[in-house]
Amino acid sequence: MKVTVSLNVNGEAWELSIEADRTLLDVLRTELMLTGTKTNCLEAECGVCTVLVDGMAVNSCTVLAVTAQGRQITTIEGLARDGELHPLQQAFIDRGAVQCGYCIPGMILSAKAFLDEHPSPTDGQIREALAGNLCRCTGYQKIVDAVQDAARVLRRERRR
Amino acid sequence: MSELRTVGKRVPRVDARAKVTGTAVFAADFSLPGTLHGRIVRSTEPHARLVVIDTRRAAALPGVRAVITAADIPDVRYGGALKDETVFANDRVRYVGQPIAALAATSQAAAEAAAAAIEVRYEPLPAVFDVEAAMAPGAPLLHPDWETYTAIPLLKREGNVCNRARIVAGDVERGFEEADRIFEHRYTTAMVHQGYTEARAALASWDGSGQLTVWSNTQLPFEVQNTLAEILQVPPGKIRVVVTAIGGGFGGKLRVGVEHFAALLAKKAGRPVKILTTTEEELVASYPRQSTVIDLRTGVTKDGRIVAKQGRIVFDTGAFAGSGPGVASVATLVLAGPYRIPNLLIEGLAIYTNKTNCGSYRAPSGPQASFAVESQMDEIADALGLDPLELRLRNIVRDGDEGPTGQVLSSVGLEECLERAAAAIGWGERRPAPGRGKGIACGWWTTTGGSSGVYVKLNADGSVALSTGAAEIGSAALTGAAQILAEELGIDVADITLVSADTFATPFDFGAQGSRTAFAVGNACRIAAAEVRRQLFALASRELGVSEDRLALGERHVSGGGERIALADLARIANQTGGGIIAHGTFIAPPTPYDEKRVEAHVYPAFHSPSFHAHAVDLSVDPETGDVEIHRYVVAQDVGRAINPTYIEGQIEGGVAQGLGQALSEEIVYRDGRVLNPNLTDYKMPTAVDVPRVESILVEHPSVVGPYGAKGVGEPPNIEPPAAVANAIAAATGVRIRSLPITAEKIVTREASACR
Amino acid sequence: MTGAHFDYHEPTSIAEAVELAARFGDEARFLAGGTDLLIQIQRGRIAPRHVIGLHRVPGLTGVETNGRIVLGGGVTHRTIERTPAFGGALRGLVEGAEVIGGHQVRNVGTVAGNIVNASPAADLVPVLLALDADVTLAGTRGERTLSLERFLLGPGHTDRHPDELLTAVTMPGLPARSATAFLKAGRRKAMEISVACVAARLTLDAAGERCLAARIALGAVAPTTVRVHAAERALEGQPLTAEALRRAGALAAEAAQPISDVRASAGFRRHLVSVLVPRALHRCLERARGQA
């Protein structure tokens, strides 16, 4: 059954006619060609498909696109503003938190949702917040450090 | 050495921005207009005669554009050291998951429906699932025709044994006679997966002239090119392999993965075909790390000198040899250990069983052999009443010592690694509290040889294009190579654009494997840079009227005699007058001499520019639940020279995390030839809360061969974690677990500790 | 793409939702967070012809904490984690919710989903059992309420009729000097399906010594999440000595009917029960005494 779905992705409105069984991940990658959202386990175990829906991190592999109708979706492509990287993106570069990079879009989006709620986290809280995002390259350490760095930058920005 | 501008600095990796913005294109992301979805149909039986494969119903389904089986393709056996593999099972299947057909369709759903419509009938054959049964007389043979297969001549094969590599040194029996104590133990390790987050993927497309292009996340594009040529019976010159961004490899993407299926389907369908494997396929039919059974017999004197060691490591290589013969060879060097032992008899065997074909995983054989060697070192120390650190210090190799096969070792940083790791972990207090203990383990590893070529070209704006056949699998090795090039040319890494891993456009490279990329490509960059300098100075000398020997490179200029000219100007002049400034740099590590009389059937007889390392861990064990909590983890690694400390730490932190997975939680569980946990719910890779902060100590005993003294760094951090953890758990609990993974259940039930 | 072909329905009331469910019967599935449903569809375990999305059905996401505790069926694990009223005596609820999957799953996964999915290893359900939860189901023939314990029948199997929607979970308010706790064991420290998990609740007498009421519920050691009445009875009316807690653990281990699978052996699961039950009870004891 085809359904008509209006999606708001990174501030852009899309009107799509899709099969009802299609996941948000599938629609983002193959209809909107937003391949920054990655595909892997398709079972909500690895987190590479993480996107934000109304600011909340979700595994887009287990969300039907039709249920995201009318909600604000943010993918990694929507994080930088006017070519200026989000502090998380910059911190991931500066800290050497990126290796192969495949988990990184999901990791950064999980971290963003977390920092929006917890501006001054402990390392332990960061690790818990990222437990649903597997990374096989980094051992997570530089990722945790990068999230701390970004948190500092964001706190400074908020004070301004 | 004068002050370095770039080498040794924490320069950000060149592909970082693309990766944090989601714009880096991985193989899973790549498609062309009209691309079909490819799917592989796999055996559901571990060992059976294939009686019927009927694809007619599937081929007639809507959207299906190609269906192929063994009957449709050239009858070719391919492989590495041993050519025993076919693209599809022909008359018999040898493991659950073995490809028996492939198809391409216009949608994933159509491909799924077609796969379900293929009718396969099997006639079960007696199967064999463990190495000891497979070696027993009268065991069912996986390959009854094994004698007819092509193999490199030095392999020693017999039935289900597809190689038996050996090191023999001194006289091991006499050595045991000299020993005051002899220790014998058996250790076992489970099959584990590389766990890259991006599954293997490839897209293949043929053009009208019969040229094939394959976009793939392979680590070895040139190897894939050659294997495809063999399988497709097409000259390599017609096959272009382009490497996309790679979502992790760790050795799992060395050999042809899905490229050949995509290419065969694309040829049949006349359209591009893409295949992206599923997580289930990855855990059932990829190239994971072999499970092993290891027997070690070690003779020592009362004062803790090892005088003899007899060891055998048996790899379950699965239904085909894969990397088995080579891995079994490498293993003997790890099993001998970084110790001075006059009498050795070490064997490495690769055995066929009815399981998936195992391959290479970061430091192939390293973690398994190290787990046995370094666990036993602690068992010996405890029995002799010696401190485990002290026992190691009494036996480790130092400068001028011989390795197990007679290679003479130099720049050996092992003692420093042990001392510094021990000091950092607070070794003086090995059992600081009940249930808490510290463990240490050390080892050595190779920097794999093979040749690398680079082109270095001056762009019109004075920036530099570095073209390498090596792929970037995430380690930032190519950023390291770029740093070396930048250093040599007096430019910044930001001035370098990287073109990587295209078998038509870039020079040959032996591939992103064996901790060799920064080492070999970096050296090729130095050679190329010297040639670029020569060309620049010749041109600048003419332009400036200053003799070449007075010229210097720096700040994107050539200067001397009070004159200077910008690289951009030199590039423009060269482009207008002489075809531009371009150099070809090549490097191959010189062979490492060893004693040929000490080895048999050995495809990896010496470790080139070996690295040395020690890991130390401090952990607690909940005696009732078996829960392990790691408090601190220290790695001291002799990296020769740290080209980029940030990414070396990254290699160490990531390698330890993977190693802890193998130590504590990961295993592919087989029962009767079937994987019981083919999903990430039950294949348990460490999460951010499972991995401790890792403290890295970079020890620098420069290699004479490596660029700026560098040694290979990528694989070693993965080797010692299981042993270090096992030793710490034993210190904490008194329970010695001799099988990986060391699960809570094993700790609580004291499994495998009975022979203490 | 899930590979399934289903029609999608988006009712805007409970009545409409159950009407649709009644019409399609076994061919329909309700969709809330989707974190279990879509995985089951993608693994080919189920192939519903109709999926009834609950996102626009009002009245399912309420949380009531004055007196009795009511959780709407659509309340997410995220909401439970962030409900301040669950910080005290009801902390076991938070402890059960916060270990389910990653935060991406907890952001959308629901109480009703966790219950109706009827996994023997569900983490939140033992806590609900320990809190004497009732479930309320709306169907075409009206509403009914029954105890959660009776509702759970087997792995993946409940007493829910195809047309019924689990709309709310209701628990009586806790008396003074009560506390809850939840503990689980798994191979990793996160993203784990429990190898064994335990929820406990204790209510103490005024002196804080004797047990007035005890509840112990287990996960992953029986065909359903289960209460262990024998262990509860052994505690009630008794002084809460270390020995009493240990004995409750032993009784619980005896009552457990674990299986051996790829995650653990039956014997180890039983052992874990004997360890985790006293620990969870001890936590309750400390917490209940801490309130005084």
Side-chain angles (χ1 to χ4, degrees):
Chain A
M1 170 180 123
K2 285 228 173 190
V3 289
T4 302
V5 183
S6 311
L7 293 182
N8 185 313
V9 183
N10 302 328
E12 287 179 356
W14 295 83
E15 184 101 349
L16 302 163
S17 175
I18 55 170
E19 289 292 331
D21 69 293
R22 295 183 68 181
T23 61
L24 182 58
L25 171 66
D26 177 33
V27 168
L28 288 172
R29 284 176 60 85
T30 61
E31 297 294 327
L32 310 190
M33 305 308 275
L34 293 171
T35 55
T37 304
K38 300 304 178 194
T39 178
N40 184 35
C41 77
L42 305 181
E43 296 194 339
E45 291 285 350
C46 76
V48 303
C49 66
T50 302
V51 301
L52 305 184
V53 174
D54 290 342
M56 251 177 4
V58 301
N59 292 306
S60 61
C61 70
T62 48
V63 170
L64 288 184
V66 60
T67 64
Q69 162 112 8
R71 307 175 72 178
Q72 304 287 326
I73 298 158
T74 305
T75 71
I76 192 69
E77 290 91 344
L79 213 53
R81 293 265 178 251
D82 306 321
E84 191 180 333
L85 297 181
H86 185 277
L88 273 163
Q89 292 171 310
Q90 190 60 50
F92 270 60
I93 294 176
D94 294 342
R95 275 287 181 169
V98 180
Q99 290 190 31
C100 87
Y102 201 73
C103 73
I104 293 300
M107 195 72 78
I108 286 177
L109 290 169
S110 273
K112 177 176 189 308
F114 172 69
L115 288 184
D116 287 347
E117 236 187 317
H118 304 86
S120 303
T122 64
D123 282 7
Q125 288 173 322
I126 294 171
R127 285 179 184 270
E128 274 174 25
L130 300 179
N133 293 79
L134 290 181
C135 169
R136 195 59 159 171
C137 294
T138 65
Y140 305 103
Q141 185 160 323
K142 294 192 186 308
I143 289 174
V144 172
D145 293 342
V147 174
Q148 285 290 17
D149 283 359
R152 271 189 289 277
V153 172
L154 288 164
R155 285 198 299 270
R156 255 201 319 272
E157 282 182 6
R158 263 183 214 122
R159 279 201 298 270
R160 246 180 246 148
Chain B
M1 203 174 292
S2 61
E3 182 63 24
L4 299 176
R5 294 177 61 248
T6 309
V7 163
K9 302 291 190 288
R10 295 176 180 271
V11 177
R13 57 184 304 136
V14 298
D15 52 4
R17 197 178 169 102
K19 286 176 172 175
V20 299
T21 52
T23 51
V25 178
F26 292 81
D29 305 330
F30 189 77
S31 68
L32 290 173
T35 297
L36 299 173
H37 299 259
R39 192 189 186 288
I40 299 161
V41 180
R42 298 174 181 278
S43 166
T44 56
E45 290 298 316
H47 202 188
R49 210 172 297 289
L50 258 182
V51 185
V52 173
I53 315 174
D54 189 342
T55 61
R56 285 169 300 182
R57 210 158 60 81
L61 287 175
V64 177
R65 295 289 181 267
V67 184
I68 51 174
T69 67
D72 303 298
I73 65 168
D75 182 18
V76 173
R77 276 194 194 280
Y78 65 97
L82 171 53
K83 295 183 186 301
D84 60 0
E85 191 160 4
T86 55
V87 174
F88 296 111
N90 198 342
D91 55 337
R92 69 159 82 189
V93 293
R94 293 178 169 88
Y95 68 94
V96 171
Q98 185 177 0
I100 51 182
L103 52 89
T106 50
S107 72
Q108 195 67 47
E112 293 300 323
I118 289 182
E119 189 199 341
V120 186
R121 279 217 300 274
Y122 305 93
E123 205 175 274
L125 292 166
V128 57
F129 301 123
D130 82 85
V131 289
E132 302 206 290
M135 288 190 289
L141 285 185
L142 271 279
H143 297 269
D145 301 330
W146 65 271
E147 281 173 287
T148 67
Y149 293 172
T150 307
I152 58 172
L154 68 80
L155 298 189
K156 201 168 161 198
R157 302 188 288 137
E158 177 74 47
N160 287 332
V161 180
C162 61
N163 193 26
R164 179 189 293 264
R166 267 187 162 195
I167 300 175
V168 184
D171 180 337
V172 79
E173 280 314 316
R174 272 225 356 240
F176 283 122
E177 282 167 22
E178 285 169 27
D180 296 315
R181 298 280 300 272
I182 295 173
F183 296 88
E184 277 191 77
H185 298 102
R186 168 168 282 202
Y187 302 88
T188 61
T189 69
M191 184 190 283
V192 289
H193 194 273
Q194 294 85 353
Y196 34 76
T197 45
E198 185 199 26
R200 290 166 302 157
L203 188 149
S205 178
W206 297 78
D207 73 8
S209 72
Q211 182 192 308
L212 169 67
T213 304
V214 177
W215 290 264
S216 156
N217 55 12
T218 181
Q219 296 173 239
L220 304 187
F222 291 91
E223 159 106 1
V224 167
Q225 179 189 32
N226 282 329
T227 308
L228 287 177
E230 205 173 347
I231 289 169
L232 302 168
Q233 303 279 290
V234 167
K238 289 270 187 196
I239 300 171
R240 179 180 186 184
V241 179
V242 184
V243 180
T244 59
I246 306 174
F250 314 110
K253 294 170 178 169
L254 298 181
R255 299 164 52 214
V256 73
V258 291
E259 296 88 350
H260 46 327
F261 299 108
L264 288 161
L265 286 167
K267 176 134 200 167
K268 178 98 183 262
R271 283 177 50 181
V273 172
K274 177 176 169 180
I275 300 178
L276 171 61
T277 54
T278 64
T279 298
E280 181 173 359
E281 284 178 297
E282 284 295 337
L283 288 165
V284 168
S286 58
Y287 302 121
R289 193 191 297 285
Q290 300 87 353
S291 65
T292 60
V293 177
I294 305 164
D295 291 300
L296 269 187
R297 182 164 181 249
T298 303
V300 293
T301 60
K302 282 194 295 272
D303 60 346
R305 268 184 312 114
I306 305 172
V307 289
K309 185 191 258 188
Q310 185 168 356
R312 188 180 80 159
I313 178 165
V314 183
F315 290 86
D316 185 341
T317 197
F320 299 95
S323 311
V327 172
S329 302
V330 174
T332 59
L333 291 160
V334 185
L335 207 57
Y339 301 114
R340 283 176 288 116
I341 306 175
N343 305 293
L344 285 174
L345 172 54
I346 310 280
E347 285 190 311
L349 286 81
I351 307 296
Y352 289 131
T353 66
N354 291 106
K355 293 186 198 157
T356 191
N357 180 199
C358 293
S360 301
Y361 172 5
R362 197 172 192 170
S365 82
Q368 302 108 302
S370 158
F371 172 61
V373 172
E374 292 298 288
S375 291
Q376 197 187 41
M377 286 300 278
D378 269 38
E379 299 199 59
I380 293 170
D382 286 344
L384 296 180
L386 275 175
D387 182 281
L389 173 64
E390 179 56 30
L391 178 67
R392 287 178 174 83
L393 290 172
R394 286 183 193 182
N395 288 283
I396 53 170
V397 290
R398 293 180 169 80
D399 279 349
D401 284 335
E402 284 186 358
T405 57
Q407 73 177 98
V408 177
L409 301 168
S410 63
S411 132
V412 179
L414 184 53
E415 183 171 0
E416 187 181 341
C417 288
L418 273 168
E419 300 277 17
R420 291 181 68 180
I425 206 74
W427 187 253
E429 241 190 333
R430 194 174 148 219
R431 295 185 177 89
R436 183 162 180 175
K438 296 174 188 173
I440 201 163
C442 67
W444 71 317
W445 190 250
T446 185
T447 308
T448 292
S451 85
S452 285
V454 298
Y455 300 146
V456 173
K457 188 180 73 170
L458 197 60
N459 294 325
D461 60 355
S463 67
V464 169
L466 165 60
S467 172
T468 162
E472 174 57 70
I473 56 169
S475 65
L478 292 183
T479 297
Q483 282 177 259
I484 289 164
L485 181 62
E487 188 70 51
E488 296 283 327
L489 294 178
I491 57 176
D492 294 333
V493 169
D495 297 329
I496 296 175
T497 51
L498 192 62
V499 179
S500 157
D502 174 337
T503 60
F504 276 15
T506 60
F508 177 81
D509 190 277
F510 187 57
Q513 58 179 334
S515 304
R516 64 175 295 282
T517 305
F519 184 94
V521 179
N523 264 335
C525 283
R526 298 191 76 176
I527 309 283
E531 170 60 14
V532 167
R533 255 200 322 267
R534 194 192 63 71
Q535 293 178 22
L536 284 172
F537 287 2
L539 184 57
S541 174
R542 284 203 300 277
E543 293 297 318
L544 300 177
V546 177
S547 69
E548 287 181 36
D549 57 1
R550 294 168 62 202
L551 293 176
L553 249 176
E555 295 169 347
R556 298 180 74 159
H557 282 77
V558 175
S559 48
E563 302 285 330
R564 64 187 227 148
I565 182 166
L567 294 188
D569 291 328
L570 289 169
R572 183 175 42 76
I573 295 163
N575 286 351
Q576 285 164 357
T577 61
I581 304 271
I582 182 163
H584 182 200
T586 67
F587 174 78
I588 183 161
T592 302
Y594 64 98
D595 181 354
E596 287 175 31
K597 293 189 295 297
R598 294 195 194 178
V599 295
E600 291 171 26
H602 208 293
V603 301
Y604 207 108
F607 278 179
H608 312 288
S609 295
S611 62
F612 298 89
H613 2 91
H615 289 212
V617 58
D618 173 4
L619 54 75
S620 290
V621 180
D622 182 325
E624 290 184 315
T625 62
D627 241 18
V628 174
E629 191 189 347
I630 299 173
H631 306 297
R632 290 181 61 214
Y633 199 104
V634 176
V635 175
Q637 182 168 333
D638 175 8
V639 301
R641 172 76 179 232
I643 302 293
N644 189 326
T646 294
Y647 295 105
I648 293 176
E649 291 161 5
Q651 288 302 294
I652 291 173
E653 292 156 12
V656 168
Q658 275 182 320
L660 291 176
Q662 180 169 13
L664 294 168
S665 63
E666 293 178 37
E667 56 183 320
I668 296 179
V669 183
Y670 269 91
R671 186 175 300 152
D672 300 331
R674 289 181 166 77
V675 176
L676 299 184
N677 56 339
N679 53 65
L680 297 189
T681 309
D682 283 313
Y683 186 79
K684 295 183 183 296
M685 293 186 277
T687 71
V689 293
D690 294 293
V691 181
R693 183 160 283 275
V694 175
E695 300 158 48
S696 299
I697 299 168
L698 306 187
V699 174
E700 296 185 314
H701 288 240
S703 150
V704 291
V705 181
Y708 295 87
K711 298 174 177 176
V713 298
E715 292 168 297
N718 196 219
I719 298 172
E720 283 89 3
V725 165
N727 289 340
I729 288 172
T733 63
V735 179
R736 169 63 60 181
I737 306 296
R738 298 194 187 91
S739 79
L740 294 182
I742 304 172
T743 58
E745 178 163 1
K746 287 182 190 171
I747 294 172
V748 168
T749 60
R750 305 193 160 220
E751 183 183 304
S753 60
C755 50
R756 179 120 188 212
Chain C
M1 175 132 38
T2 60
H5 293 289
F6 51 71
D7 289 354
Y8 181 73
H9 309 269
E10 210 163 62
T12 53
S13 70
I14 291 172
E16 193 189 341
V18 301
E19 199 59 50
L20 284 162
R23 191 185 325 154
F24 301 121
D26 287 337
E27 294 193 330
R29 284 287 192 284
F30 289 118
L31 172 75
T35 55
D36 281 315
L37 186 74
L38 289 187
I39 292 169
Q40 291 192 47
I41 292 175
Q42 295 190 78
R43 281 190 181 177
R45 291 213 184 123
I46 55 170
R49 300 286 309 280
H50 299 273
V51 168
I52 304 166
L54 299 173
H55 299 78
R56 284 172 217 291
V57 176
L60 293 176
T61 57
V63 177
E64 210 182 290
T65 56
N66 292 330
R68 60 177 198 162
I69 303 127
V70 183
L71 299 172
V75 168
T76 60
H77 309 309
R78 173 194 175 88
T79 299
I80 294 175
E81 285 180 81
R82 285 163 179 74
T83 300
F86 299 158
L90 292 164
R91 189 142 143 223
L93 272 176
V94 176
E95 291 173 330
E98 71 190 1
V99 295
I100 297 172
H103 67 129
Q104 300 100 314
V105 166
R106 300 197 296 277
N107 284 343
V108 293
T110 64
V111 172
N114 204 245
I115 296 171
V116 172
N117 191 43
S119 162
D123 286 326
L124 189 61
V125 181
V127 189
L128 300 176
L129 285 170
L131 287 168
D132 293 334
D134 288 332
V135 293
T136 300
L137 301 148
T140 44
R141 282 157 300 178
E143 208 174 73
R144 65 179 176 126
T145 295
L146 74 165
S147 77
L148 174 59
E149 194 179 7
R150 275 185 41 221
F151 181 68
L152 301 167
L153 299 180
H157 188 44
T158 68
D159 189 50
R160 190 183 72 88
H161 305 154
D163 68 315
E164 284 182 320
L165 177 65
L166 200 164
T167 54
V169 180
T170 307
M171 294 153 273
L174 289 182
R177 295 179 304 282
S178 295
T180 55
F182 173 84
L183 290 173
K184 79 187 269 185
R187 208 175 271 197
R188 290 184 294 198
K189 302 193 192 314
M191 298 296 289
E192 275 294 272
I193 291 189
S194 288
V195 164
C197 62
V198 170
R201 158 161 73 95
L202 285 179
T203 302
L204 309 185
D205 66 5
E209 294 302 327
R210 207 169 282 274
C211 171
L212 294 182
R215 291 291 181 275
I216 299 167
L218 312 176
V221 293
T224 63
T225 46
V226 288
R227 261 180 72 181
V228 275
H229 297 269
E232 295 169 358
R233 278 197 303 272
L235 288 172
E236 288 178 347
Q238 303 299 315
L240 291 162
T241 60
E243 179 49 34
L245 305 193
R246 243 195 323 275
R247 203 169 57 245
L251 288 168
E254 213 171 285
Q257 312 159 259
I259 56 163
S260 293
D261 63 13
V262 72
R263 292 171 196 147
S265 72
F268 185 55
R269 287 192 154 104
R270 208 181 281 281
H271 165 79
L272 285 172
V273 169
S274 74
V275 172
L276 295 182
V277 164
R279 286 187 184 186
L281 289 167
H282 185 72
R283 276 200 185 186
C284 291
L285 195 55
E286 286 190 328
R287 286 173 185 177
R289 284 176 180 160
Q291 293 166 14

